[in-house]
């Protein structure tokens, strides 16, 4: 083959690549790890095809449930597919069996409920590590989780509000619903004690981090009405806890400027799937601040997910709704 023919073929191939739609240019996985006094954690990062190192992209941290892996969680939630369409980075920390036999985040252990120590410090370090190595929009970093990961997402929102602009909780529990394994198992079945008080504890946990840049914390909650692993009462308690926390945050007083009474309720259903209720809670200015989705017939599974463990395609697309909610907010 002549040099001129080879050159022509190379030019044609390059031109075709430029004509490929963005969706056809798949993103890619990268791996990383962090270490501090609390130990070490690995993570997987999905980098969308749109990332070019010039424009800062949002970052979503996804915390898997018990027995799951980052790859399993990514496949089941379809979050990477959404990241390709919407152009954001997704990081999936991995909880090893050496930290918890069932790979659960230890949300029920006091050693992992505060800023600066335990698993929260490692997860915050992962965010910082990704931000140092990739161009991340610091005002648009979000945390989401399922089950034990949902409970840990709540902890991250309470202990690192200077990192996260909003929190998403799927089948999770309120902050400090439990402070031991036995309490954790009980809370999963019947909820924690006094969620309004838990809201005060979460406000106290915000501490210095929030005093630097005070802002309310937007929260979206998804819960299956037929969940027998994490009782639906926990979804109510997550809202009550964050309502009290946000009530303190807007004016440092418990005066019901934010409360757990829905300002709007929308009912709907997925064609051929489950019915749901979407409850919206406003801030003191009348702007949407929190949402709660209760999905009828959904058990302990990611709503709208498919293909792996703990997913159910018949529910509304939780990933899509979480991203829609995240897009509404930026951290001051």
């Amino acid at each position: 083959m002549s040099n001129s023919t080879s050159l022509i073929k190379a030019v044609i191939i390059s031109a075709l690549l430029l004509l490929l739609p963005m969706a056809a240019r798949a993103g890619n996985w990268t791996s990383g790890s962090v270490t501090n006094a609390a130990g070490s954690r690995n993570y997987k990062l999905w980098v969308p095809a749109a990332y070019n190192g010039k424009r800062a992209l949002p970052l979503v941290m996804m915390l898997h449930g018990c027995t799951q892996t980052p790859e399993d969680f990514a496949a089941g939630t379809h979050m990477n597919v959404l990241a390709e369409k919407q152009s954001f980075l997704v990081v999936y920390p991995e909880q090893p069996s050496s930290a918890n036999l069932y790979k659960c985040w230890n949300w029920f252990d006091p050693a992992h409920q505060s800023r600066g120590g335990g698993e929260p410090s490692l997860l915050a370090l992962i965010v910082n590590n990704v931000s140092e190595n990739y161009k991340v929009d610091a005002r648009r970093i979000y945390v989401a989780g399922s089950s034990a990961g949902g409970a840990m997402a709540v902890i991250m929102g309470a202990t690192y509000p200077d990192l996260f602009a909003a929190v998403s909780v799927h089948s999770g529990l309120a902050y400090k619903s439990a402070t031991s394994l036995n309490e954790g198992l009980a809370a999963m079945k019947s909820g924690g004690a006094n969620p309004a008080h838990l809201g005060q504890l979460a406000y106290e946990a915000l501490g210095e981090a929030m005093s630097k840049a005070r802002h309310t914390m937007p929260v979206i909650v998804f819960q299956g009405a037929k969940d027998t692993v994490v009782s639906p009462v926990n979804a109510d308690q997550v809202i009550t806890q964050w309502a009290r926390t946000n009530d303190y945050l807007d004016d440092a007083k418990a005066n019901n400027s934010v409360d757990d009474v829905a300002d709007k309720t929308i009912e709907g259903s997925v064609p051929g799937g489950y019915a749901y209720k979407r409850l919206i809670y406003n801030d003191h200015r009348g702007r949407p601040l929190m949402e709660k989705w209760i999905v009828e017939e959904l058990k302990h599974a990611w709503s709208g997910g498919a293909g792996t463990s703990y997913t159910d395609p018949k529910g509304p697309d939780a990933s899509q709704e979480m991203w829609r909610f995240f897009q509404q907010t930026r951290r001051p």
Side-chain angles (χ1 to χ4, degrees):
M1 184 182 295
S2 67
N3 290 336
S4 60
T5 302
S6 298
L7 179 60
I8 292 172
K9 290 188 70 175
V11 170
I12 292 173
I13 292 172
S14 297
L16 289 173
L17 286 173
L18 289 173
L19 291 173
L20 281 173
M22 184 60 72
R25 305 179 200 170
N28 62 87
W29 282 114
T30 65
S31 300
S33 64
V34 297
T35 301
N36 66 14
S40 299
R41 290 295 183 277
N42 297 327
Y43 64 84
K44 301 282 287 188
L45 176 69
W46 182 258
V47 182
Y51 180 80
N52 58 16
K54 298 178 181 178
R55 179 169 65 96
L57 297 186
L59 171 66
V60 176
M61 172 176 276
M62 292 284 286
L63 302 176
H64 64 73
C66 299
T67 75
Q68 293 183 312
T69 65
E71 294 86 351
D72 179 46
F73 195 39
T77 60
H78 305 155
M79 192 59 79
N80 292 357
V81 176
L82 186 59
E84 285 299 301
K85 294 178 181 178
Q86 300 293 332
S87 300
F88 59 90
L89 297 150
V90 195
V91 65
Y92 300 84
E94 181 179 10
Q95 178 73 321
S97 56
S98 58
N100 182 289
L101 182 61
Y102 298 102
K103 299 181 181 179
C104 309
W105 299 99
N106 292 299
W107 59 272
F108 50 82
D109 186 339
H112 305 289
Q113 295 176 338
S114 302
R115 183 185 181 92
E119 290 167 4
S121 70
L122 287 162
L123 294 174
L125 188 56
I126 287 174
V127 170
N128 291 332
N129 196 41
V130 172
S131 298
E132 288 172 0
N133 290 286
Y134 292 84
K135 200 167 182 62
V136 173
D137 186 343
R139 296 179 62 202
R140 302 179 67 193
I141 300 175
Y142 311 98
V143 60
S146 177
S147 194
M152 184 55 73
V154 167
I155 292 172
M156 295 309 296
T159 57
Y160 287 92
D162 49 332
L163 282 184
F164 300 107
V167 177
S168 176
V169 186
H170 201 312
S171 313
L173 298 94
Y175 181 71
K176 286 195 175 181
S177 291
T179 54
S180 71
L181 177 56
N182 287 338
E183 285 185 7
L185 294 172
M188 289 167 63
K189 295 298 182 184
S190 55
N194 193 350
H197 176 63
L198 300 179
Q200 180 179 344
L201 295 179
Y203 174 70
E204 293 169 359
L206 298 172
E208 258 182 53
M210 189 57 85
S211 68
K212 296 175 183 176
R214 180 179 295 276
H215 66 92
T216 50
M217 182 62 74
V219 177
I220 183 170
V221 176
F222 266 82
Q223 177 67 48
K226 294 294 180 68
D227 192 336
T228 58
V229 178
V230 176
S231 170
V233 69
N234 287 287
D236 300 334
Q237 292 197 346
V238 171
I239 290 294
T240 298
Q241 176 250 290
W242 278 108
R244 176 55 62 90
T245 305
N246 281 319
D247 183 22
Y248 277 116
L249 283 171
D250 62 24
D251 58 8
K253 298 177 182 177
N255 55 8
N256 290 322
S257 55
V258 179
D259 60 37
D260 59 359
V261 178
D263 294 284
K264 186 176 183 180
T265 300
I266 301 170
E267 297 188 9
S269 62
V270 176
Y274 301 146
Y276 60 83
K277 286 184 180 180
R278 174 189 171 201
L279 297 93
I280 301 172
Y281 306 80
N282 295 338
D283 65 11
H284 66 290
R285 292 191 178 94
R287 301 172 301 187
L289 178 61
M290 302 183 296
E291 287 190 22
K292 180 175 67 177
W293 291 65
I294 301 297
V295 184
E296 303 298 332
E297 305 303 322
L298 181 68
K299 297 180 181 178
H300 193 64
W302 187 273
S303 182
T308 63
S309 63
Y310 304 110
T311 58
D312 192 331
K314 292 185 177 181
D317 190 335
S319 297
Q320 181 69 51
E321 294 300 335
M322 289 174 182
W323 177 245
R324 186 262 314 160
F325 183 81
F326 287 162
Q327 285 183 299
Q328 298 173 177
T329 184
R330 287 167 171 76
R331 188 173 58 79

